[in-house]
Amino acid sequence: MDFSTVSSNLLYAAFIIYLVATFFFGGTIRDKKRKKAGIAGKIGITLTIIGFLTQIGYFITRWIASGHAPVSNLFEFTTFFGMMLVLAFIVMYFIYRINVLGLFALPIALLIIAFASMFPSEISPLVPSLQSHWLYIHVTTASLGQAVLSVSFVAGLIFLIRQIDQGQKSKHTFWLEFVIYMLATALAFIIISSSFNAMNYQVTFEAPIQEQPTEVTYKMPAIAGPTDGKLITEGMSPLFEVPQWMRGQDAAIKFNTMIWSFLGGLVLYWLARLILRKRIGAAIQPLLRKANPELVDEISYRAVAIGFPIFTLGALIFAMIWAQQAWDRFWGWDPKEVWALITFFFYAAYLHLRLSRGWQGTKSAWLAVGGFAIIMFNLLAVNLIISGLHSYA
């Protein structure tokens, strides 16, 4: 049996099941009859559990195929992170029995899993630095902690859409729309990357990197070309070149991808605005009338109260133990270590402000949104852009 193929098929199946479950959770907020809404919610959570078990099957079969826990590269880690987010949602659902949480949590998990597909998914042996049982302990607990903290963002977003006064423009409506735009940007990145990959689009430049002529291959049209780059294959000429300080081999490619993502996000966002003829938050708000804001606020806080110690254990304590064994020092100011510490201090401040200063409701919800932004920066920018000991992922 080809366990690699089986694991891929199981991941696709889980993705589809989560997508279908999302539609059923959507039915719970549109159906005015409580009985029908209850049935839709039960179907939604049942499908979510089936999807989660299917993704567990993916995890096990990929482990068998690779011979190690599938959390060693960005594809594996990001899919595991999405799976843990679904698990965190399931746990919160059975504690609070709130269907609207699934309508927002599952799409975020779907975005994360779909984003993972942008990275190479081939199974490869572990590099020597990762051949330790601490890989499983550190990465899985850190990912679980981040996933539970992400549920706080989901609840905080629901609270903000439900409570912010959409009758007039304000800084709250602006930043809420900005958060929605950033989600549209993530979706645009997935759509654009998948489309050009399906077309096998490639264009190659020759550019001087470290004073050596080097071929730089783009997998989407070059809006921003490499510094002093010369187009050597057929394709669209770049509109401009990246500045000198982006002379690294992948820097121009990543910057070009970022431009495509933001432009695609603008298209998706304004297309939605044209269709809805109002701010997206204002269009969603009436659908959340049945959501209890106090309960949603409680969920956001509880997610941080649960996720913070798990994250601290996995991302800091276990990480320092492994670093001491691997590099003979428990702390080295590596970018990943620094941003894990920033995340720790941020959520510590969240709990302090919530418990000691009475920051509940809107203030607490905005903090949850900010915390998720830090988690995403840690996942994307620190891994993909900033060089460090964790760049192997």
Side-chain angles (χ1 to χ4, degrees), residues 164-274:
I164 286 178
D165 180 12
Q166 294 288 347
Q168 57 185 357
K169 290 184 179 180
S170 65
K171 62 180 181 180
H172 289 294
T173 58
F174 170 82
W175 286 111
L176 180 58
E177 292 300 303
F178 180 78
V179 171
I180 295 171
Y181 162 68
M182 292 305 296
L183 294 175
T185 299
L187 179 59
F189 167 77
I190 294 165
I191 294 172
I192 293 170
S193 298
S194 300
S195 300
F196 284 119
N197 285 340
M199 293 187 291
N200 292 319
Y201 182 90
Q202 284 190 351
V203 62
T204 303
F205 293 84
E206 185 177 86
I209 297 175
Q210 295 181 352
E211 300 182 355
Q212 295 293 327
T214 305
E215 289 190 356
V216 180
T217 301
Y218 283 58
K219 293 188 177 180
M220 57 182 65
I223 297 175
T227 305
D228 299 326
K230 179 182 177 182
L231 187 64
I232 60 176
T233 60
E234 292 185 1
M236 185 184 86
S237 298
L239 300 180
F240 63 93
E241 294 183 353
V242 299
Q244 289 282 343
W245 56 270
M246 284 191 182
R247 194 178 281 275
Q249 183 169 358
D250 295 330
I253 297 174
K254 292 171 181 176
F255 184 66
N256 187 67
T257 302
M258 185 176 68
I259 293 174
W260 271 102
S261 300
F262 282 111
L263 291 176
L266 280 174
V267 171
L268 291 179
Y269 174 79
W270 284 107
L271 183 61
R273 287 284 299 262
L274 287 172

Side-chain angles (χ1 to χ4, degrees), residues 316-354:
L316 290 177
I317 298 175
F318 290 159
M320 287 189 286
I321 294 173
W322 188 11
Q324 180 64 40
Q325 291 187 357
W327 301 311
D328 292 325
R329 53 87 175 152
F330 69 91
W331 190 263
W333 298 105
D334 179 71
K336 195 77 171 180
E337 297 171 347
V338 171
W339 279 95
L341 186 63
I342 291 171
T343 306
F344 168 82
F345 280 129
F346 182 90
Y347 281 105
Y350 171 100
L351 291 173
H352 169 73
L353 292 170
R354 172 95 187 193

Side-chain angles (χ1 to χ4, degrees), residues 88 92 143-152 302-304 306-307 310:
M92 288 296 181
S143 180
L144 176 59
Q146 288 178 325
V148 179
L149 292 172
S150 298
V151 173
S152 177
R302 290 297 176 188
V304 175
I306 296 170
I310 299 173

Side-chain angles (χ1 to χ4, degrees), residues 46 92 124 190 193 206 294 300 382:
T46 301
M92 288 296 181
S124 57
I190 294 165
S193 298
E206 185 177 86
E294 293 182 1
S300 182
V382 176

Side-chain angles (χ1 to χ4, degrees), residues 47-68:
L47 287 173
T48 303
I49 293 171
I50 293 172
F52 176 74
L53 294 175
T54 303
Q55 197 170 356
I56 288 287
Y58 145 79
F59 186 80
I60 293 172
T61 51
R62 189 173 176 92
W63 192 330
I64 294 171
S66 63
H68 58 78

Side-chain angles (χ1 to χ4, degrees), residues 66-124:
S66 63
H68 58 78
V71 289
S72 62
N73 56 44
L74 271 178
F75 170 78
E76 293 175 344
F77 175 81
T78 309
T79 52
F80 183 78
F81 177 42
M83 183 172 69
M84 290 298 97
L85 178 53
V86 174
L87 174 62
F89 157 66
I90 292 172
V91 172
M92 288 296 181
Y93 177 88
F94 281 108
I95 294 174
Y96 292 99
R97 301 283 179 174
I98 179 169
N99 290 317
V100 71
L101 195 65
L103 181 60
F104 285 78
L106 289 183
I108 299 298
L110 286 168
L111 274 176
I112 291 171
I113 296 170
F115 185 81
S117 67
M118 302 299 104
F119 303 116
S121 60
E122 295 80 10
I123 293 175
S124 57

